[in-house]
Every structure is written in structure tokens, then in C-alpha cells.
Amino acid sequence: MDVFSRTFLPAAAETGLAAQTVTRHMPIFRRCVGSGDAPVLVTRCSRPGRPVAGDYLLLLTHRRLVVTRQSRVLHRLQLHLNTELRELSNVTWSPDPRLHAVELAATAIDGVRERFLIRTGNPKQVWQLDQLLHHAFRTRLRSPRERVVTTVGARVLT
């Protein structure tokens, strides 16, 4: 069993998702995420300003952000967003403990600004989600520094 398979269900259970919901979305997530990439967060979310668009499920791994959508009428699943974290720009999130929610916003590589509202059960979970997003987007996505392998004119000892 690969890393993704071992960690996906526990990550989904941690946010209280029903097993039936998770198994419906699993084939789409499986196509988008590599077998060695572990899920950090699997949760329901919505899109502010578009309440009738359908239900969304967000998967955040160490390398990717994948969002699927299920239509309200026919319950069809479709991929909404599939991108590597390093391809996202202007990533922001706003924790709101009064509403028990965190709004996550990022600009995808195609220039489209995506916004998602993640609801939690209590204020403590809001701050846990804030820390998780900080770890995923701030500490892991440092700008790549140039790595000096050798300098011009340097003596190489053999």
C-alpha cells in the first residue's frame, strides 16, 4: 500500500467526512496526486459568492492542491482545480473564529483567483487549520535560492 492510500482515509476521518463521500471522490484525487504524496488536509469547502454551484471537496498535500466539485442536481463529480503548490501565487487565508471558518484564496497559474471557505466545528479548529496552512504555504514554499556548485576559476581538487 502506498503513502497516499495509507494516509488519505485517516486525513478525511479527522475532519469528519463520511466514508461514502470520500470514496466517491477518491478516483479523481488518485489521478491527480502521486502515490508518494501524503494528504495534509481533506475537507469540505464552499465558494463564497457561489452558494448554488455545488459541493466542493479540498485535498491539500505537501505538493498539490486538488479541489473537486459535485453538482447539486445530478451529483456528478468533476475536477475543479488541480495544481502544484509552487504554481499558486498570492496565497492568503483569513481565519475567523467567530464564524468557525477560514477563507483560503490563491491565484492559479492561469491567472484565475480562487476562493474557498472552509468551515470548522469550533474556534480551536480554526487556529489548527491556520497553523496547517501556514506550514503548507509559508514554511515549505520558500523561494528557491541559487545553489553554488562551483565558482569560475576555482581549483578542483582530485
Side-chain angles (χ1 to χ4, degrees):
M1 186 178 275
D2 62 1
V3 174
F4 180 77
S5 298
R6 279 195 321 265
T7 55
F8 181 74
L9 290 176
E14 196 172 300
T15 58
L17 288 172
Q20 182 181 15
T21 302
V22 173
T23 55
R24 278 185 51 89
H25 292 259
M26 179 78 154
I28 296 174
F29 290 142
R30 174 54 94 185
R31 285 191 303 261
C32 297
V33 177
S35 61
D37 204 4
V40 175
L41 175 68
V42 182
T43 187
R44 284 189 188 279
C45 62
S46 60
R47 301 206 48 213
R50 299 182 186 192
V52 295
D55 297 324
Y56 292 84
L57 202 62
L58 181 140
L59 168 67
L60 177 66
T61 71
H62 294 290
R63 294 184 196 119
R64 300 193 78 76
L65 176 64
V66 181
V67 180
T68 58
R69 181 177 79 89
Q70 180 174 325
S71 66
R72 290 197 186 266
V73 178
L74 300 176
H75 301 288
R76 289 195 177 147
L77 294 176
Q78 72 181 58
L79 183 63
H80 176 75
L81 178 66
N82 177 22
T83 186
E84 289 189 27
L85 296 183
R86 61 185 170 87
E87 293 176 345
L88 294 172
S89 62
N90 196 19
V91 178
T92 60
W93 60 92
S94 305
D96 189 346
R98 291 174 302 154
L99 295 177
H100 306 289
V102 176
E103 183 176 339
L104 172 66
T107 304
I109 198 166
D110 60 359
V112 176
R113 185 79 176 156
E114 299 284 354
R115 292 176 46 216
F116 301 102
L117 186 66
I118 304 168
R119 298 207 180 271
T120 63
N122 58 51
K124 183 179 177 183
Q125 289 175 327
V126 169
W127 297 119
Q128 289 171 342
L129 183 57
D130 178 54
Q131 286 299 315
L132 187 140
L133 293 172
H134 184 273
H135 180 71
F137 291 108
R138 297 292 186 252
T139 59
R140 291 190 170 272
L141 294 180
R142 304 248 186 247
S143 60
R145 296 182 200 147
E146 292 182 20
R147 194 176 78 167
V148 177
V149 177
T150 186
T151 57
V152 176
R155 258 181 88 185
V156 178
L157 300 174
T158 56

